[in-house]
Amino acid sequence: MELNNLGKKELVKLIKDAENKIVALDNKQFDDAYLEIAAIAKKVGLTIQELEEHGINRKLNKVKAKAAIKYQNKDNLEETWTGRGKQPGWVKRELEAGKNLEDFLIA
């Protein structure tokens, strides 16, 4: 097709036809994906809605495991530290007083 030989109306129609074709291709891509997902859901006995809810809840309900306590102040058993992040004040004070971090390891 030689664009130089087309008039304004023909070019406008060509653009509109191309835009409609792009929309149709996009819709087909979504339709194909939807049907594939629906088939997988049906195969495992679920609905697409159930899968979607699970996906949303999975992100919201992730449980982060707490790090185990690795260090404890022998003088105040409530003062503990996992060894991660900034050193708590009690650790800094004890280290400045000449003690070693190993002195507070929980056996």
Side-chain angles (χ1 to χ4, degrees):
M1 171 183 295
E2 182 61 43
L3 295 178
N4 291 332
N5 296 334
L6 297 178
K8 182 178 179 180
K9 284 184 182 180
E10 294 165 320
L11 287 170
V12 169
K13 182 180 181 328
L14 180 63
I15 291 170
K16 190 144 198 98
D17 289 346
E19 288 172 342
N20 288 339
K21 181 64 176 173
I22 290 169
V23 170
L25 289 171
D26 285 345
N27 285 341
K28 181 174 180 354
Q29 184 180 16
F30 278 103
D31 288 345
D32 291 348
Y34 178 85
L35 293 173
E36 189 173 335
I37 291 168
I40 292 168
K42 184 176 181 181
K43 182 178 177 182
V44 296
L46 299 170
T47 66
I48 290 177
Q49 292 76 18
E50 289 170 323
L51 289 174
E52 184 178 23
E53 285 177 25
H54 175 75
I56 292 168
N57 291 334
R58 185 170 175 250
K59 291 176 187 172
L60 296 176
N61 295 331
K62 282 203 172 188
V63 176
K64 292 185 179 180
K66 282 191 164 187
I69 295 171
K70 195 171 178 180
Y71 303 98
Q72 186 174 39
N73 187 346
K74 307 293 187 231
D75 297 328
N76 181 351
L77 299 180
E78 291 183 16
E79 293 180 328
T80 59
W81 181 44
T82 63
R84 295 183 179 175
K86 293 176 74 174
Q87 290 180 339
W90 69 267
V91 172
K92 288 181 184 178
R93 286 190 300 275
E94 296 292 343
L95 293 176
E96 288 170 0
K99 293 191 179 174
N100 293 316
L101 195 54
E102 292 78 23
D103 296 336
F104 304 102
L105 273 173
I106 297 175

